[in-house]
Amino acid sequence: MAADWGSINFQTMLKDWVSSKEYRDLNWVGSFSDYVNLVKKHPKVTRNAFQRLYDLITEKGQEEYVDVKKHVVHYKFFDDEEAGGRDAVFGLDISLMKLVNVLRAAAQGYGAEKRVILLHGPVGSAKSTVCRMIKKGVEAYSRTDQGALYTFEWVDEAGDHEDIFGKGVRVYPSPMHEEPLLLVPEEMRAKMCEELNRGVRDDFRVQIVGELCPPSRYIMRRLLEKYNGNYERVFNHVRVKRMILSEADRIGIGTFQPKDEKNQDSTELTGDLNYRKIAEYGSDSDPRAFNFDGEFNIANRGVIEFVEVLKLDVAFLYDLLGASQEHRVKPKKFAQTHIDEVIIGHTNEPEFRRLQDNEFMEALRDRTVRIDIPYITKWHQEIKIYKKDFNSKRLRGVSIAPHTIEMAAMWAVLTRIEKPKKANLSRVQKLKLYDGKAIPNFTEDNVKELRKEAKREGLDGISPRYIQDKISNSIVMAQQMSRGSVSPFMVLNELDSGLKNNPLMANNEDVRNDYRELIAIVKQEYEEIIKGEVQRAVSNDEGALERLCSNYIENLRAFTQGDKVKGGSGASEEPDERLMRAIEEKIEIPESRKDDFRREIMNYLNALTLEGKKFDYKTNERLHRAFERKLFEDQRDTIKLTSRGSSSDSKDTKEKIDLVRSRLIKEFGYDEVSAHDVLEHVAGIFARGDVKEKK
Ligand SMILES: Nc1ncnc2c1ncn2[C@@H]1O[C@H](COP(=O)(O)OP(=O)(O)OP(=O)(O)O)[C@@H](O)[C@H]1O
Ligand SMILES: [Mg+2]
């Protein structure tokens, strides 16, 4: 029998939605007078496109922090929280801060509103992502109470004016979704604004900027003629309504993407004649016979994005410049038409360089504000990109081993970082400095200097897209092999082999070799990490560590006081110099410094005793590490055995190894497969006699 999942009453659901307050708000309609009163109450419904964009970004809140002595504001808008962070942008706070500052200046009318905003950066640096977020944000804002905005339509319910509206036409929406206040005749505007702004405490002031588009002007004029100049009767034909911006519906959001360089047509931007209607109205200069549906027209009140703006045909340049500078577009055969929209374009770095000296750029340079969107050079920010994409621990039966994403991100960032001029600093160290890690002898000023000396940092190197592709390849491969786990080695090898035919690298053998070398460096880093983890998993035996600690301290006390210790048999013995040195060597205490070191520790212990406290090895990081390393040394042989996988391993050995494996799983996030891989790999390293230890 089929399970009863319950039934859905769609009719009721619909009814509930339609009778909800939200529905009523979103579908608000009213007369022009209603609208004027609404504006009086909520003047901000009349904000222009820049003001709205600036507000919607800042209304999401911000966080401030200091990064290498620089004060940075992080705008939460770019976390894309509502969509679960799907389009979140990481590590670009400084660029985004510049962008928001430009928007602020534009919102206040300081001139930035007359510029094209140009996002510029290497391929795959999140330029499109930033634009997508802005467009989505503008859409979403129009649905909120704070973001509500309005437009109007002409109505002729009785059908008295078919000569004006067209045959059978009862409703004629403002084709460019204009602000209703534009209907106010020029001569009345100052008075109207004065009334609207009187007594308003907010520092926002209602302004009426621009003129009606040609068809609305036409209808207005004709109605006025018919009514012998009686405005009241003309306004009876105006119906104001709430407007919801939507890219899918081509309302308030436009995207222009040059296709073929040879085959661009200006009608795509500023609209086109409607030949069927020319026949109806009898003239190609009748505004009703024109479709005001170019990208600039439909994007009115919101934003227009120019994808690859430098690929735009020079013939369009003046459309673009007029649109930004004058806030006007010029449809064929019509007067210039006012627009209110944010114009944002992007271009990638190679294209930008190629066109730096061409005519298009010359004209554009002055009229654009360029915002650089570089690659991330902070390792942990880069990691976030891939964690966002591959966030689930298990992807269709495959797990991603710990550090896989971290290592891929490390490589990506390393390819972008310029070789430090300082000889005593490696690229990995530079990466760690940038990431906020302290490295002895390097100050924040040094980090600033490093950033300054780099010429093209963040403009070259590997793009996140390449990394995303290779990680996903590795996942698919693991699925095919029913391997169960994707390891850093798999991904690093995949990244390496992809370099062979990477078109971005063209024939640049030097760069390719350099990137390969960086893969080897990352592999080493990874080995250090897993060695450390296995080491900690082995030595993380608190009982054993405690025993070792009290043993050391007892010997230390005896040594500094010239005393003896109690041996195993109860007899007094000399302090165990070999044991003490074995521990101290683990943290690089040379023979010549051992007396000082031991005295220091004793002083510390005595001070604790005076305070009535007991020493806990965990509170002393160095000693803790030394004990762990000593314990590990004592047990390493057990691990070595796993690499031989000999069946003759004793039960005791097997138990010890199982214990280590389960610690790797419990404490370091491994699963069975990846823990096995890592143990195997580390065992191999130990078996080859690599006992050199790093700090
Ligand atoms: N700083 C970043 N934060 C979050 N994601 C990023 C970042 N940089 C790149 N990405 C990711 O990299 C991918 C490529 O980004 P996007 O398409 O926005 O790049 P683009 O700059 O438009 O590239 P192109 O120049 O090739 O058009 C996306 O999946 C994006 O999420
Ligand atoms: Mg793009």
Side-chain angles (χ1 to χ4, degrees), residues 357-372:
D357 300 317
N358 92 345
E359 165 193 7
F360 191 83
M361 281 291 283
E362 296 272 302
L364 204 61
R365 193 168 299 137
D366 237 27
R367 285 115 156 159
T368 46
V369 255
R370 194 179 101 192
I371 307 230
D372 289 329

Side-chain angles (χ1 to χ4, degrees), residues 121 124 143 193 286 326 330 346 360 444 448 458 502 517 524 562 585 605-606 644-645 654:
R143 299 185 150 270
C193 290
D286 189 314
E326 321 285 339
K330 171 90 180 69
H346 42 100
F360 191 83
E444 288 204 321
K448 258 173 102 168
N502 186 331
E517 195 184 311
Q524 278 170 17
E585 277 162 5
L605 290 177
N606 288 338
R644 298 190 199 121
K654 279 214 176 85

Side-chain angles (χ1 to χ4, degrees), residues 127-128 346 465:
K127 300 179 294 296
S128 297
H346 42 100
R465 224 181 263 129

Side-chain angles (χ1 to χ4, degrees), residues 512-670:
R512 204 187 321 261
N513 288 336
D514 186 44
Y515 289 0
R516 290 227 158 98
E517 195 184 311
L518 290 173
I519 287 191
I521 290 175
V522 173
K523 282 186 180 168
Q524 278 170 17
E525 282 290 312
Y526 176 60
E527 284 185 343
E528 290 306 325
I529 292 172
I530 54 178
K531 263 167 34 189
E533 283 180 347
V534 169
Q535 184 165 333
R536 272 184 288 151
V538 170
S539 52
N540 192 6
D541 181 339
E542 293 205 7
L545 283 174
E546 217 136 318
R547 279 193 299 280
L548 194 58
C549 172
S550 52
N551 206 349
Y552 176 71
I553 287 177
E554 204 187 320
N555 279 291
L556 203 67
R557 199 181 303 274
F559 172 85
T560 44
Q561 295 167 358
D563 216 344
K564 301 220 164 167
V565 291
K566 274 212 180 70
S569 55
S572 293
E573 289 173 4
E574 289 298 320
D576 187 345
E577 185 62 25
R578 260 182 56 198
L579 174 79
M580 287 188 288
R581 283 307 294 149
I583 290 169
E584 288 154 5
E585 277 162 5
K586 300 284 171 296
I587 45 173
E588 280 93 29
I589 305 294
E591 182 72 26
S592 58
R593 276 241 322 125
K594 74 173 188 197
D595 286 6
D596 288 345
F597 178 76
R598 290 176 188 176
R599 221 172 352 241
E600 255 170 53
I601 300 275
M602 268 330 285
N603 287 343
Y604 175 63
L605 290 177
N606 288 338
L608 277 181
T609 317
L610 278 178
E611 289 175 38
K613 286 188 192 143
K614 223 177 131 322
F615 175 64
D616 177 356
Y617 67 87
K618 283 184 199 149
T619 59
N620 188 314
E621 209 183 304
R622 288 185 84 200
L623 277 179
H624 189 177
R625 198 160 56 217
F627 295 146
E628 279 184 343
R629 286 179 178 166
K630 174 72 173 81
L631 188 61
F632 174 68
E633 190 176 71
D634 298 344
Q635 299 194 0
R636 186 169 50 209
D637 292 341
T638 320
I639 302 294
K640 271 191 207 169
L641 290 171
T642 59
S643 75
R644 298 190 199 121
S646 76
S647 53
S648 61
D649 287 357
S650 70
K651 189 162 157 269
D652 184 42
T653 309
K654 279 214 176 85
E655 267 174 16
K656 274 190 183 160
I657 289 169
D658 282 346
L659 192 68
V660 172
R661 186 176 303 129
S662 67
R663 283 210 185 106
L664 281 173
I665 294 172
K666 221 171 79 200
E667 286 157 35
F668 297 96
Y670 288 86

Side-chain angles (χ1 to χ4, degrees), residues 124-129 305 307-308 346 465:
S125 69
K127 300 179 294 296
S128 297
T129 307
E305 171 189 8
V307 179
E308 307 268 9
H346 42 100
R465 224 181 263 129

Side-chain angles (χ1 to χ4, degrees), residues 88-90 92 123-129 376 385 388 464-465 468:
V89 177
F90 307 112
L92 290 176
V123 286
S125 69
K127 300 179 294 296
S128 297
T129 307
I376 292 177
I385 301 180
K388 166 186 83 177
R465 224 181 263 129
Q468 288 165 333

Side-chain angles (χ1 to χ4, degrees), residues 288-338:
R288 296 166 303 171
F290 192 86
N291 290 339
F292 287 85
D293 64 353
E295 226 51 45
F296 272 129
N297 306 111
I298 64 109
N300 193 31
R301 316 291 302 279
V303 326
I304 180 166
E305 171 189 8
F306 277 88
V307 179
E308 307 268 9
V309 63
L310 299 184
K311 289 220 173 85
L312 203 67
D313 197 283
V314 186
F316 291 2
L317 180 63
Y318 297 97
D319 283 330
L320 177 63
L321 297 181
S324 62
Q325 199 152 310
E326 321 285 339
H327 285 213
R328 281 166 203 277
V329 292
K330 171 90 180 69
K332 258 193 232 159
K333 295 207 177 241
F334 292 101
Q336 289 195 326
T337 303
H338 172 77

